[in-house]
Amino acid sequence: MINLLSRTIMMGTPLLFGALAEVIAERTGMMVTAIEGIFLMGAWAGFVGGYLSGSLIVGFLSAMLAGLLVAGLYGWICIYLKQHQVVTGVAINLLVAGLCSFLYRVIFGVPITPLTVSPLATIPIPLLSEIPLLGPILFNQTILTYIIYFLAPLSYFMLYKTSMGLTIRSAGENPEAVDVAGINVLTVRFLTVLLAGVMGGVAGAFYSIGFLGMFTTNIIGGRGWIAFAICFLGNWNPKGAVIGTLAFGFAEAIAIYMQSIGNSALFPNELFIALPYIMTIVLTISRKSFNVPAKLGVPYLKEN
Amino acid sequence: MQAKLRDLLITNILAIVLGIVASGLMLLFLGKNPVSAYSVLITSVVRDSYTFADIFVKATPLMFTALAFAFTYKANLYNIGAQGQFYIGAVIAAASSLWLQNILPGGLVLMITLLLTMVGGGLWGAFIGFVKARYNSNEFLVSMMSTYVALAIMNYLLRTFLIETKAEYPQTDALAASVWLPRIIPGTRLHIGFVLAVLACVGVWVLLYKTPLGYRIRAVGYNAGAAEMSGINAKKLYILAFFISGALAGAAGFTEVNGVQHMLVQGFNPDLGAAGIGIAILANGNPIGIIFAAILFGALKVGGTIMGQMSGIPSSIIELMQGFVMVFVILSYFVRTWLENNREKRKLQKAVAK
């Protein structure tokens, strides 16, 4: 059980990175529908950087850069060229999928055995990890999990207690007001999308060099969309995102656990693989009140 | 209007060319000469009728999934789950064909199978419309997630009930030749499904632009609030639009299983949904335009496969070309609006100068 909960926190980490990124960007009115592509590019760049340099730090830095680039392309098309967010996201995701498998082949050719790096090690925190029950669950994780412990409250504080947060939220609710206050709405939106790219890149790299130690083209398999969904289900609030992430992390931990003990007739593996997705649908249906940012998905056109 | 159409053609052709050039530049990374790679490609595509006909074979399911996206898009809904509806259709097509092929004559089996796949895909899609109408769920999210559920269902069935008699690989037995879709041109793989797909495009065009139902769907898409005010039941239309959309995507499962694969293989055609969206965007949502856009994507697919068989070019070049073309097509939307605005401005200036 402790193992399962520890796995929950571990598998929840990248999801929370993605979900928080999505929350911040969507508050400005930008759905980052390229999130799946950002995750994938992050996973790819993380692996390539980590493998070629032998250093996971370089890996994560390249993942951040790759996420930034994909988000930059997405932001440029959607914010400055005012194109459709859903459609652009789908196009970029497809392009990234092609790029990743193509460039992997360019760099590594066709290796006979899959290339691997040793993934991030868990770092037990002295004293804290000795706490019975909670210790091994919360404080025997990788560095990324510890970072997210700080990032989650920080993003809440930033969104609700600072003037920057107010600007971000206003850009999605009433962009005209932000404009009148002399702040460039487009810049606010673009910067949050770039931030989402950086965070999404790290999240993607978690799968390749933080967990599996290798890259495959289907490594992300919809996890970007799940982060996207968590943002919706968490009502565009970091608190909600944390709760949603725990639920999905748990679902994924169960899926991994059930696959490791093999198939049973009543509960086939496929059911557990599909569990996070089924959960999203059920939760989307059962949530009654949503606090959707008013201008979510709407490009800002300045009247002149 | 004329100028608009001209812009549309020119910018789209430019987008396609740029997309192909961009992927050609990527070939340089492999140390391949893109010019010679493309010229080998073009000559080999038109070399024999089998390869050439394959373009239309590949275009067939793409037309269906593109229609699936375009149809709901007209109602301002996003069905990005065509991939899942296609898988459901494919599973039903395989199951129904295998079950009925020894009981009924082939032609009848084909008709029943087509009907079942469309109903199956349609119901899978209608569920999305239903939760949208009843619970105001986000259809974008639900349709995306339903694809992964459909994939899991397909994998489960292929591992258990539908697995081949040898039980070696996750795939079904081959269908009997009596339930294969008839070939149009002997010696090629081009089957009657292509005609069905073209008819579906024309049919959807008629439905959208020449019938009251199509008018209502477009009215809801244009302004749901105003449509409700004028007595259109938008919620009912959400369900109906998603049913039709899902049925179209499901039909792609039928043409692929009965027309091309003649069996159901795990994880086949994984990019039909995404490519369909690209085609719908390229055609600006117009069902007739989809026919041509799908043939173009079919050509990219066939060309990419040939390149993949050529020395050392990975087949991911297909996704790369599709992705680049899609991104450039979206950019061309921007260019078109820009051209249009300039034209209006000039008109105004002329009028003022007088």
Side-chain angles (χ1 to χ4, degrees):
Chain A
M1 193 61 196
I2 286 177
N3 204 349
L4 203 61
L5 290 176
S6 161
R7 258 288 159 77
T8 301
I9 302 285
M10 183 180 169
M11 297 317 290
T13 302
L15 294 177
L16 191 52
F17 263 98
L20 287 177
E22 197 70 48
V23 166
I24 296 171
E26 293 202 10
R27 276 299 179 136
T28 70
M30 292 298 302
M31 289 192 281
V32 188
T33 47
I35 189 82
E36 180 82 7
I38 291 172
F39 269 43
L40 186 59
M41 202 74 207
W44 178 85
F47 179 79
V48 171
Y51 183 84
L52 294 181
S53 71
S55 149
L56 292 184
I57 296 175
V58 177
F60 278 103
L61 287 178
S62 7
M64 288 159 115
L65 181 68
L68 186 81
L69 289 176
V70 177
L73 176 65
Y74 174 77
W76 177 60
I77 294 178
C78 289
I79 299 171
Y80 292 104
L81 305 186
K82 325 259 184 239
Q83 294 309 307
H84 201 284
Q85 295 184 6
V86 171
V87 166
T88 309
V90 172
I92 290 184
N93 293 338
L94 190 66
L95 178 64
V96 167
L99 269 181
C100 285
S101 53
F102 187 84
L103 292 178
Y104 187 86
R105 170 74 180 271
V106 168
I107 297 172
F108 299 114
V110 190
I112 298 161
T113 52
L115 304 172
T116 54
V117 296
S118 51
L120 275 185
T122 57
I123 310 167
I125 294 189
L127 292 177
L128 286 177
S129 61
E130 319 269 308
I131 305 171
L133 224 62
L134 284 182
I137 296 173
L138 292 176
F139 300 108
N140 188 11
Q141 299 282 356
T142 62
I143 180 88
L144 287 183
T145 308
Y146 301 135
I147 293 177
I148 205 77
Y149 287 164
F150 287 101
L151 274 184
L154 187 70
S155 59
Y156 181 81
F157 179 79
M158 193 273 287
L159 271 180
Y160 291 98
K161 308 285 176 195
T162 66
S163 70
M164 188 166 80
L166 185 63
T167 310
I168 287 177
R169 285 181 293 135
S170 309
E173 295 291 339
N174 190 347
E176 287 80 9
V178 175
D179 208 350
V180 169
I183 300 167
N184 189 332
V185 175
L186 303 186
T187 311
V188 171
R189 290 187 171 180
F190 193 60
L191 288 178
T192 56
V193 168
L194 290 185
L195 176 68
V198 171
M199 290 174 70
V202 173
F206 171 87
Y207 291 106
S208 62
I209 55 176
F211 173 55
L212 281 177
M214 55 190 277
F215 176 81
T216 60
T217 45
N218 55 2
I219 188 166
I220 301 300
R223 257 77 157 247
W225 290 116
I226 288 193
F228 186 86
I230 290 173
C231 165
F232 266 72
L233 302 173
N235 219 359
W236 290 271
N237 183 320
K239 277 197 232 166
V242 170
I243 297 169
T245 301
L246 289 176
F248 279 98
F250 189 62
E252 194 154 359
I254 288 187
I256 295 175
Y257 175 71
M258 295 310 283
Q259 280 172 69
S260 67
I261 61 167
N263 262 305
S264 69
L266 198 55
F267 297 112
N269 276 342
E270 286 84 359
L271 180 68
F272 293 100
I273 293 172
L275 195 62
Y277 309 106
I278 296 173
M279 226 167 83
T280 313
I281 296 175
V282 172
L283 288 174
T284 319
I285 294 170
S286 56
R287 268 314 276 263
K288 282 287 173 283
S289 64
F290 275 117
N291 180 18
V292 190
K295 299 289 177 195
L296 187 62
V298 185
Y300 180 62
L301 300 168
K302 203 169 177 173
E303 288 175 29
N304 43 3
Chain B
M1 194 61 214
Q2 208 63 325
K4 259 190 179 171
L5 187 67
R6 193 192 60 209
D7 285 356
L8 180 78
L9 286 177
I10 293 179
T11 51
N12 265 348
I13 290 171
L14 256 179
I16 294 160
V17 170
L18 282 175
I20 292 173
V21 169
S23 2
L25 292 179
M26 301 298 293
L27 288 179
L28 291 177
F29 283 121
L30 283 174
K32 306 279 174 214
N33 180 346
V35 178
S36 67
Y38 279 131
S39 55
V40 171
L41 173 79
I42 292 168
T43 46
S44 47
V45 167
V46 293
R47 184 186 47 208
D48 56 298
S49 56
Y50 181 88
T51 320
F52 190 69
D54 243 23
I55 293 176
F56 303 96
V57 175
K58 298 282 185 211
T60 303
L62 291 173
M63 272 189 248
F64 283 116
T65 51
L67 281 178
F69 180 77
F71 194 79
T72 43
Y73 191 64
K74 288 287 172 199
N76 203 18
L77 296 169
Y78 296 98
N79 177 14
I80 53 171
Q83 186 69 38
Q85 292 138 21
F86 158 72
Y87 280 149
I88 295 293
V91 166
I92 294 176
S96 143
S97 305
L98 286 171
W99 176 48
L100 293 173
Q101 64 189 12
N102 300 326
I103 308 174
L104 296 170
L108 195 60
V109 175
L110 282 177
M111 270 184 267
I112 295 173
T113 303
L114 174 62
L115 192 72
L116 287 178
T117 53
M118 291 187 76
V119 170
L123 288 177
W124 191 258
F127 170 77
I128 305 165
F130 171 72
V131 294
K132 166 87 181 170
R134 177 75 177 74
Y135 303 101
N136 199 20
S137 309
N138 183 298
E139 84 283 3
F140 173 64
L141 211 52
V142 176
S143 62
M144 167 53 74
M145 293 296 142
S146 69
T147 295
Y148 293 102
V149 179
L151 181 63
I153 291 177
M154 179 166 106
N155 286 343
Y156 170 68
L157 291 175
L158 276 179
R159 193 170 54 79
T160 53
F161 297 105
L162 290 177
I163 197 166
E164 55 179 351
T165 327
K166 276 189 299 177
E168 198 173 336
Y169 296 106
Q171 60 189 30
T172 63
D173 287 325
L175 308 190
S178 63
V179 295
W180 294 5
L181 279 172
R183 300 265 154 90
I184 307 176
I185 304 172
T188 71
R189 295 202 297 169
L190 188 60
H191 54 85
I192 200 133
F194 177 72
V195 180
L196 279 180
V198 173
L199 286 179
C201 289
V202 176
V204 168
W205 183 82
V206 172
L207 178 65
L208 274 177
Y209 294 98
K210 300 290 167 197
T211 66
L213 174 66
Y215 175 75
R216 286 205 290 272
I217 286 174
R218 286 182 297 130
V220 167
Y222 200 67
N223 187 337
E228 286 265 16
M229 288 292 179
S230 59
I232 295 174
N233 185 344
K235 304 211 156 184
K236 224 193 231 168
L237 280 183
Y238 287 162
I239 302 177
L240 191 60
F242 261 104
F243 179 83
I244 296 175
S245 177
L248 288 165
F254 170 70
T255 63
E256 280 306 279
V257 168
N258 291 66
V260 182
Q261 306 276 345
H262 303 136
M263 54 163 31
L264 182 62
V265 188
Q266 189 172 44
F268 76 130
N269 280 340
D271 62 344
L272 276 188
I277 296 173
I279 290 163
I281 300 167
L282 179 59
N284 208 355
N286 182 311
I288 305 300
I290 283 176
I291 301 177
F292 300 100
I295 291 174
L296 172 83
F297 267 57
L300 290 184
K301 246 187 175 174
V302 173
T305 315
I306 292 177
M307 280 173 120
Q309 292 155 355
M310 271 164 29
S311 50
I313 296 177
S315 60
S316 54
I317 188 81
I318 303 172
E319 274 174 311
L320 208 54
M321 284 197 284
Q322 288 177 346
F324 271 123
V325 168
M326 270 170 85
V327 169
F328 280 112
V329 164
I330 291 171
L331 291 178
S332 79
Y333 271 76
F334 170 74
V335 175
R336 277 206 295 280
T337 333
W338 183 74
L339 287 173
E340 176 74 15
N341 286 345
N342 272 359
R343 209 164 27 238
E344 293 297 314
K345 258 187 210 159
R346 271 204 304 278
K347 251 191 221 161
L348 271 176
Q349 277 163 355
K350 250 189 205 165
V352 171
K354 268 178 197 169

